[in-house]
Amino acid sequence: MKAAVIVFPGSNCDRDLADAITKVTGRTPAMIWHRETSLPEGLDFIGVPGGFSYGDYLRSGAMAARSPVMQAVIEAAGQGRAVLGICNGFQVLTEAGLLPGALMRNAGLNFVCRNVQLSVANTQSVFTSHYAAGEQIIIPVAHHDGNYVADAATLDRLEGEGRVAFRYAEAVNGSARDIAGILNAEGNVLGMMPHPERLIEAEQGGTDGRRLFEAAMMALA
Amino acid sequence: MPPAMIVKVTVTLKNGVLDPQGRAIESALKGLGFDGVAGARVGKLIELEVAEGTARETIEAMAKQLLANTVIENFRIEMP
């Protein structure tokens, strides 16, 4: 699997994501700076990492979504390349219009940083095929703006089309319908607030994140 | 450089979008003894310095493409 990780000023999970991809696939991803206007040839997988891109100025992800490299990411997504946005990466993908809805300040106003239980809601995508339907997994979250918001028609469509990938199995941030991660209509773009790249090896306290990258590697390699 | 004018763009959350910051302000005001506050909503004011004569449509395009996220926010433009 040929992968790239996008790096914005203020990204701080880019190296964790690159490390997870390297450990699972055996290949080191290319790190792509936000000023780039094109991506390497033949990419299978693009990671948009967590962090505080551009200091969360204006809105979380708003500036990053309009940076030069995101035009290339939008094009690649349109060509069917797998795109995974984690945490701030999810915020960037919604701001860029690759995923519907928006991520607002957590309902409790607190920054939430802990392991949370998730329920797997989609097992058909390139990212989720190694999980069982309804499986409960533990993945950490670390965010202030993770409260997923969309209008009722959009939420109905996401649920009706099986595009909710993960739900919170406990109260975390006030997200509409407990949504923790969603897919685009084609299933090749996933945005999620929890951090699967942080649970790749037992030494990290669990391996529930590893299967996401394994599934992508098996589907895309 | 042509003479500048200041345009104000006010960005507010749409009705129905939960505003936890507004709720916190409302309850803090109540804590200070201001009982007459039935609600508080937090928005943003963005002042733009643009060339005199800049078209309203240009400001609207700025608001739609960047200043507001129209999924969750409304905007209002005030020109001199």
Side-chain angles (χ1 to χ4, degrees):
Chain A
M1 182 175 92
K2 189 169 176 187
V5 172
I6 309 298
V7 185
F8 303 104
S11 293
N12 64 11
C13 302
D14 46 323
R15 284 177 290 174
D16 284 2
L17 180 53
D19 196 50
I21 291 169
T22 306
K23 281 187 171 135
V24 173
T25 70
R27 289 185 70 173
T28 308
M31 306 302 280
I32 310 295
W33 184 235
H34 69 119
R35 303 294 304 173
E36 298 291 335
T37 53
S38 64
L39 297 168
E41 291 287 313
L43 278 184
D44 303 302
F45 182 102
I46 300 163
V48 186
F52 299 87
S53 58
Y54 298 83
D56 280 350
Y57 288 174
L58 193 63
R59 298 176 301 276
S60 300
M63 297 296 174
R66 280 115 185 133
S67 65
V69 76
M70 282 308 296
Q71 276 310 313
V73 172
I74 290 167
E75 268 176 43
Q79 293 161 358
R81 314 260 187 242
V83 178
L84 169 64
I86 299 168
C87 199
N88 187 224
F90 184 12
Q91 296 160 346
V92 172
L93 296 183
T94 59
E95 281 281 346
L98 284 172
L99 292 171
L103 292 142
M104 306 282 298
R105 182 54 42 100
N106 292 344
L109 283 172
N110 288 322
F111 191 99
V112 180
C113 184
R114 60 180 165 86
N115 286 338
V116 299
Q117 191 155 35
L118 301 180
S119 168
V120 178
N122 171 305
T123 57
Q124 307 297 316
S125 76
V126 294
F127 308 99
T128 55
S129 64
H130 283 201
Y131 297 110
E135 185 180 350
Q136 305 278 306
I137 58 174
I138 301 284
I139 306 270
V141 297
H143 62 248
H144 210 168
D145 296 329
N147 178 355
Y148 184 74
V149 173
D151 60 45
T154 302
L155 294 169
D156 289 344
R157 196 171 69 246
L158 287 171
E159 290 184 329
E161 296 174 358
R163 290 166 55 191
V164 177
F166 302 103
R167 285 181 205 279
Y168 299 111
E170 56 184 289
V172 175
N173 53 26
S175 277
R177 303 189 194 177
D178 299 319
I179 286 173
I182 55 168
L183 293 153
N184 68 343
E186 293 73 24
N188 66 307
V189 178
L190 169 66
M192 60 190 295
M193 290 311 297
H195 285 271
E197 81 280 18
R198 294 189 186 177
L199 285 183
I200 296 296
E201 299 176 299
E203 290 78 7
Q204 293 171 308
T207 57
D208 279 349
R210 186 178 183 94
R211 278 180 287 160
L212 187 149
F213 296 96
E214 287 175 343
M217 180 181 67
M218 299 298 277
L220 302 168
Chain B
M1 176 128 183
M5 64 175 181
I6 302 289
V7 173
K8 292 181 181 178
V9 182
T10 306
V11 180
T12 52
L13 285 175
K14 288 184 176 175
N15 287 335
V17 174
L18 175 70
D19 179 8
Q21 292 182 91
R23 290 263 178 90
I25 289 168
E26 181 188 337
S27 81
L29 286 171
K30 282 180 181 152
L32 290 171
F34 295 102
D35 292 328
V37 182
R41 305 278 284 169
V42 177
K44 297 185 188 99
L45 170 64
I46 300 162
E47 289 187 344
L48 300 171
E49 192 176 328
V50 296
E52 195 84 56
T54 299
R56 176 174 283 269
E57 292 71 42
T58 306
I59 308 297
E60 273 181 15
M62 293 179 190
K64 284 179 185 163
Q65 286 176 42
L66 178 65
L67 305 180
N69 178 344
T70 54
V71 173
I72 45 169
E73 295 169 329
N74 293 320
F75 63 86
R76 190 173 68 242
I77 295 170
E78 288 173 68
M79 305 194 67

